[in-house]
Amino acid sequence: MSAAEDFGLEEEETVSSAQGRPLTKRGEATRAKLLAAAEDVFAELGYHEASIVKITERAGIGLGTFYLYFDSKQSLFEALVVDLNRRVRRSMAEAMEGATNRLEAERAGFAGFFRFTAEHPALYRVVREAEFVSPEMLRLHYTRIVEGYRAGLAKAQAAGEVSDIDPEVAAWALMGMGELLGMRYLLWERDADGRPPAAVPDHVLTEMMRLVNDGLAPKEKP
């Protein structure tokens, strides 16, 4: 099973209109424009200050057209959480492909996560606002990532590549580590001109992997 399968990416999610009808290619493109605009507007203004009008204006789409795809601002917000979640899982899975063992895959997966976060800092604000706007979507976001992690770790255990650590606990711990380091070194960091970094510094990833390797590497029996 590939990393994409571990993260559930082989099962493509079907998108539909607000009335539940399948979308045409043109409809999918319009929906994608609304999601991209929503990502920017929610990141800039937050959920409560954002409005459907501001989002449709950013997307260059008429207000009436919005309701062909979403029935409310909240339904758009929830669709955005799902969309960001799927894209960050894909970034991680694609980065992990070709790794020769689980520890190598861990480093690559974190690099994929950090790369996506640097390109889409809205992920942090949207997910945190989900705690209050739509708690079930907050849980979905984290659970979907953990499910992929747990599956990959369990397979690596069976192959003798990682220790006998509980894969569920390890998956949550690894995800939490990556999220907080991304916040510290991508979201909060700024250069002299006030610009965010394009990537997590190499030494941060190296130090992180020292902890990961100590926790996951198989232990020699005395």
Side-chain angles (χ1 to χ4, degrees):
M1 185 181 289
S2 67
E5 290 174 306
D6 286 342
F7 280 106
L9 293 167
E10 296 303 314
E11 301 174 6
E12 292 292 335
E13 297 174 12
T14 303
V15 295
S16 58
S17 69
Q19 295 75 35
R21 293 191 293 269
L23 295 178
T24 63
K25 290 295 184 183
R26 182 176 180 181
E28 289 177 0
T30 300
R31 185 178 186 275
K33 285 183 180 180
L34 286 167
L35 287 170
E39 181 179 342
D40 291 341
V41 174
F42 285 135
E44 293 172 11
L45 304 177
Y47 178 81
H48 295 291
E49 292 301 318
S51 68
I52 293 173
V53 169
K54 290 174 182 174
I55 292 167
T56 53
E57 287 177 348
R58 182 71 59 93
I61 292 170
L63 182 61
T65 302
F66 173 91
Y67 291 99
L68 298 176
Y69 299 91
F70 304 100
D71 58 19
S72 64
K73 182 172 72 169
Q74 179 160 341
S75 69
L76 171 60
F77 178 86
E78 292 175 349
L80 178 60
V81 174
V82 172
D83 182 63
L84 285 168
N85 174 270
R86 185 170 185 78
R87 284 190 286 153
V88 73
R89 285 184 290 130
R90 183 165 295 283
S91 179
M92 295 169 68
E94 289 176 349
M96 294 167 80
E97 292 296 341
T100 59
N101 58 61
R102 185 64 198 188
L103 294 180
E104 186 179 311
E106 284 298 320
R107 183 183 182 105
F110 279 119
F113 172 78
F114 292 141
R115 183 163 51 251
F116 183 87
T117 302
E119 295 171 356
H120 302 275
L123 177 69
Y124 276 95
R125 183 162 192 177
V126 169
V127 169
R128 274 163 172 68
E129 292 210 326
E131 179 180 0
F132 307 101
V133 176
S134 183
E136 64 274 17
M137 299 308 294
L138 175 76
R139 184 168 181 169
L140 177 145
H141 170 71
Y142 289 121
T143 300
R144 284 188 175 178
I145 294 176
V146 163
E147 286 171 352
Y149 253 130
R150 187 202 57 73
L153 289 172
K155 283 197 311 181
Q157 280 184 330
E161 293 180 354
V162 301
S163 68
D164 61 354
I165 191 169
D166 184 327
E168 177 86 5
V169 174
W172 283 101
L174 289 166
M175 182 179 62
M177 185 189 305
E179 178 162 303
L180 286 176
L181 284 171
M183 183 183 298
R184 165 62 181 85
Y185 290 101
L186 291 173
L187 205 63
W188 294 352
E189 198 72 16
R190 291 291 184 275
D191 64 16
D193 296 319
R195 294 172 299 194
V200 165
D202 286 342
H203 83 276
V204 173
L205 190 54
T206 297
E207 292 302 309
M208 177 184 186
M209 289 310 301
R210 289 178 63 187
L211 292 171
V212 173
N213 290 345
D214 286 346
L216 295 184
K219 305 300 185 289
E220 294 184 5
K221 295 182 179 179

